[in-house]
Amino acid sequence: MTNSAKFDTWIYPTKRGLYCAAGDFYIDPSQPVERAVITHGHSDHARAGHGRVLATPETIAIMQIRLGKTCAGALQSQGYGSVLQIGDADVSLHPAGHILGSAQILVRHRGQRAVVSGDYKRRFDPTCAPFEPVPADLFVTEATFGLPVFRHEPDASETAKLLEVQRASPGRTILIGVYGLGKCQRLILLLRQAGYDRPIWLHGALVAMCDLYQTLGIDLGPLAPVAAATSTLAGEIVLCPPSALADRWSRRLADPVTGFASGWMRVRARARQRGVELPLVISDHADWPELVTTIAETAAEEIWVTHGREDALVHQIGLMGRRGRALAMVGRDEEAE
Amino acid sequence: MKAFAQLLDRLSYTPGRNAKLALMTRYFQTAPDPDRGWALAALTGTLPFKAPMRRILLELMEKRLDAVLYRLSRDYVGDTAETVALAWPEPLHPAEPPRLADVVTALRTASKAEIAGLIETWLDGLDATGRWALLKFITGALRVGVSARLAKTALAALRDCDPDEIEEIWHGLSPPYGALFGWLEGCAPRPDVTGSPVFRPLMLAHPLEEADFAGLDLDAFAVEWKWDGVRVQIAGGGDHVRLYSRTGDDISAAFPELVAPFRFEGVLDGELLVMRDGVVAPFNDLQQRLNRKTVTRRTLEQFPAHVRLYDSLVLGDADLRALPFAERRLMLERWYSDMQPPRMDLSELVVCNSMDDLAEIWRKTRAAEMEGLMLKRRSSPYLAGRPKGHWYKWKREALTIDCVLMYAQRGSGKRSSYYSDLTFGLWREPTGGTPELVPVGKAYSGFNDAELIELDRWIRQNTVETFGPVRSVSAGLVLEIAFDAAQRSSRHKSGVAMRFPRVHRIRWDKPAHEADRLPTLEKVITGVDQPVIEP
Ligand SMILES: [Zn+2]
Ligand SMILES: [Zn+2]
């Protein structure tokens, strides 16, 4: 174990994001930089315009779909576990369990281990590799759901609730708002696992990413675009981006029951604010117990908190006898979950 | 508890009235006695206990969660019961979930010191939704968008009867309502509530339309003033007198001066007013007495309540409702002169000999601070609900003013994808400054579906800024707003509050800068809407 001032000599937060001076690269920078290592494909982590990008093959495929084939000068893929030396740093990627291709970034420098986890979760997700605990001296964590009130329900009980409402409302469309990358595909697979084998209808904005998942070997079952529907889709399940829930777009559907799959749905005021009738607590982020367990497991003496409810988590880290520090990272969109 | 928790959970998220009714009816049909009776008590606000929950919950949480983490959580969630329900640690060895009836029995017999321990054990036996429902149940404030009337309507479906049939006996019953469920399900006779002061569903009036006016036979009608107060029913029976709101809520506790001083057997219909030295005070004064659970001595003195009677439904043991209005009125007059009840008088009948006469009186109602006129058919029995052709209300003419649309919010239910909740303002011209709009009111109605679509389109095309479900729009659309009255208000930025505002016409043609100025509205202000400062 080392003393904390030492980390600051080779890795530290900057206006553009977390910077590793030992290897002269940024992790998930918020502005274009010469060299970036990207944890995962969500738009607040993966941006266009960098000189060189290192990420998992899946993250690169996702970036190319979202940002275009030429979204960076050079795209270099690296599978989980293998090590690349960049300057004076050894960099390896390890599953974060957040979405397809998501990685924690382990940077080793002169015997010190820093793990930058990006976004992560600990529970089973059929669309991606499970989180792998990586021992660290410095652990950089998110805190999207960094309050003790956030304990995500078991996925199976949430999908059961969805299917129960669907069975009980034959005349109405079940319209669920989902984040287009990760949540959408995970909810589809959760429904498949619960035995739902009817076509699932998609808002146009969700189609390309689902196609990519299918190409990458994740079987989502029968899908159909809403634009191709010849009825009002009464009794069917339709997925759309959250912004489309109360949009004019939804007027074509049969008196929709509006749902939203998100960790925020744990809190009633948040669900009501969105006018959600069917809140589903399904999240791709760690809930409070997962955050606390993970911090304990990494055995890091120092923990940096990038974004979310950092005040509560930093306080908790103190209660655990470790050093916590809030980085107040700019440009992270924690609401989009 | 599980079924009740599920019911509350679904109700809290379900916007539609019919969907809420279906959820409740299903629960009442399937839940066992006496649990469903206690659930009904919670939904209608008749639970017989109150625990000082805030302090108890804080004590229980202290043992389980760091104080800083609790405070941050509470700030985020915004509701103590919900925060505790969500943050309560899942026990290693869950206890048995309690039954609703067990919770009631235990709370009624427990000493103050025992309550915390009971709640602790119950919380350990429930999941997050169950914990939330339990705490809402114990605090008695459910806040799931269900009125007592809606709960009774759901209940009436058990017997396929009118909810008014339940209303008639409701106040003679007490939770857990075993006899009521027995009757609704056809296995017991209708509960007998003779002699107790029960609420009787009110007879309501239709607005007088032009078509009605033309064919009106004035001789067949009695004419009364429409007082600018609140409709109430006063019921006496046994040793009690009670005051009910028009929806059947017992508001006696807030009006001790009306129910305490005398005893009588019967049910009377009248208008609640504030009256000083025989003069009716403006409606704003009455507002200081409404929506309060209790009342202070000072408020009693400042805003003395009074009931102006206009009908009798029951007198002694005689139900008069089948009799014609004219006969009921005579019996009311006789009862009044016999009893001379304090703080009550009779609503006078307005004498008028011709339709012209009537119209002339109506035109003067605003100046006389009356809300308008009532026309009651002399031969009509007292019929619950809003039967056609018996009673008419002829409200004083609405005031109108041209306002400018400022903000729009999405509606609820079927209107959730339309911007249908409109905030509008008037121009204010600071001396030497440029004119600015100040919001003066909100309207949700007064336009048809076609106009709603037009409005929605205009709002989307003229949005300046969006915050959550609200859009602010550029000053470009004039709404002619009709309203009943204006009063001073310290709660509004403009200093003025409107009563019953609705969109009268959408003035697509009128340029926004030609809309009215705030002083135009200030000129029609009557009375002051100011909260009383309690000592
Ligand atoms: Zn993410
Ligand atoms: Zn993120």
Side-chain angles (χ1 to χ4, degrees), chain A residues 40 42 44-45 98-99 119 179 285 336:
Chain A
H40 67 287
H42 278 149
D44 52 331
H45 296 256
H98 173 54
I99 60 166
D119 295 337
Y179 203 42
H285 291 267

Side-chain angles (χ1 to χ4, degrees), chain B residues 53-375:
Chain B
M53 289 298 289
R54 235 190 138 70
R55 189 183 49 75
I56 293 175
L57 291 179
L58 278 179
E59 277 171 25
L60 291 179
M61 279 321 278
E62 254 169 29
K63 290 193 263 173
R64 288 170 172 78
L65 185 62
D66 173 82
V68 174
L69 294 177
Y70 173 76
R71 183 177 50 76
L72 289 169
S73 298
R74 168 68 183 74
D75 288 350
Y76 181 80
V77 174
D79 177 277
T80 302
E82 188 179 345
T83 309
V84 173
L86 293 177
W88 192 263
E90 303 290 345
L92 284 177
H93 308 288
E96 268 298 295
R99 282 186 58 179
L100 222 44
D102 300 338
V103 171
V104 176
T105 316
L107 281 181
R108 287 174 105 178
T109 50
S111 70
K112 261 195 179 155
E114 291 167 327
I115 292 179
L118 287 170
I119 292 176
E120 192 167 25
T121 314
W122 293 330
L123 289 174
D124 276 345
L126 295 164
D127 63 8
T129 309
R131 292 189 292 260
W132 170 77
L134 174 82
L135 295 177
K136 289 277 149 189
F137 179 74
I138 297 176
T139 48
L142 300 183
R143 294 183 211 285
V144 292
V146 172
S147 64
R149 176 70 182 182
L150 198 67
K152 291 170 202 161
T153 308
L155 203 57
L158 264 60
R159 195 191 166 81
D160 202 13
C161 69
D162 192 291
D164 280 345
E165 286 191 47
I166 296 172
E167 219 63 91
E168 290 264 329
I169 50 173
W170 179 256
H171 289 282
L173 307 171
S174 56
Y177 304 109
L180 174 65
F181 280 104
W183 167 62
L184 289 168
E185 287 177 337
C187 38
R190 186 163 199 244
D192 182 13
V193 295
T194 323
S196 46
V198 294
F199 170 77
R200 313 291 168 141
L202 295 187
M203 178 162 178
L204 302 169
H206 279 272
L208 186 73
E209 311 284 350
E210 255 169 80
D212 304 320
F213 190 85
L216 204 72
D217 171 14
L218 192 56
D219 290 340
F221 285 87
V223 181
E224 291 174 13
W225 298 112
K226 184 166 174 21
W227 300 99
D228 198 5
V230 165
R231 183 95 177 264
V232 287
Q233 187 174 91
I234 188 152
D239 238 0
H240 300 280
V241 173
R242 288 198 186 139
L243 192 69
Y244 294 113
S245 73
R246 57 179 285 169
T247 49
D249 295 324
D250 186 346
I251 53 171
S252 315
F255 296 92
E257 77 264 55
L258 293 176
V259 296
F262 79 116
R263 292 282 164 265
F264 81 109
E265 302 278 330
V267 179
L268 307 170
D269 194 353
E271 192 85 0
L272 179 64
L273 302 164
V274 163
M275 202 151 98
R276 297 187 194 93
D277 305 323
V279 180
V280 176
F283 185 77
N284 324 72
D285 285 29
L286 179 58
Q287 273 181 329
Q288 311 313 318
R289 296 292 306 269
L290 301 175
N291 303 317
R292 285 164 188 271
K293 289 234 147 61
T294 54
V295 64
T296 62
R297 180 184 294 265
R298 185 162 152 219
T299 307
L300 279 175
E301 283 164 7
Q302 263 187 297
F303 304 100
H306 182 95
V307 176
R308 187 150 277 176
L309 300 167
Y310 33 61
D311 213 334
S312 51
L313 287 65
V314 178
L315 283 177
D317 49 15
D319 191 332
L320 314 178
R321 287 178 289 177
L323 301 178
F325 171 81
E327 275 183 55
R328 297 200 308 275
R329 171 82 198 189
L330 281 177
M331 297 175 86
L332 174 68
E333 286 170 8
R334 202 173 310 140
W335 175 87
Y336 181 80
S337 67
D338 288 351
M339 284 291 286
Q340 296 291 331
R343 295 176 187 278
M344 288 186 197
D345 62 4
L346 291 179
S347 179
E348 63 181 306
L349 295 177
V350 180
V351 183
C352 68
N353 302 314
S354 67
M355 293 303 279
D356 289 346
D357 213 8
L358 184 70
E360 184 56 31
I361 294 169
W362 175 77
R363 264 190 290 280
K364 289 178 183 157
T365 47
R366 180 173 293 283
E369 293 186 21
M370 299 288 179
E371 222 192 316
L373 294 172
M374 293 295 301
L375 280 73

Side-chain angles (χ1 to χ4, degrees), chain A residues 151 248 251 268 270 315, chain B residues 9 66 76 82 88 417:
Chain A
R151 291 208 300 266
R248 278 174 287 187
R251 288 178 200 164
R268 277 165 206 277
R270 296 295 299 257
H315 180 78
Chain B
D9 186 51
D66 173 82
Y76 181 80
E82 188 179 345
W88 192 263
S417 73

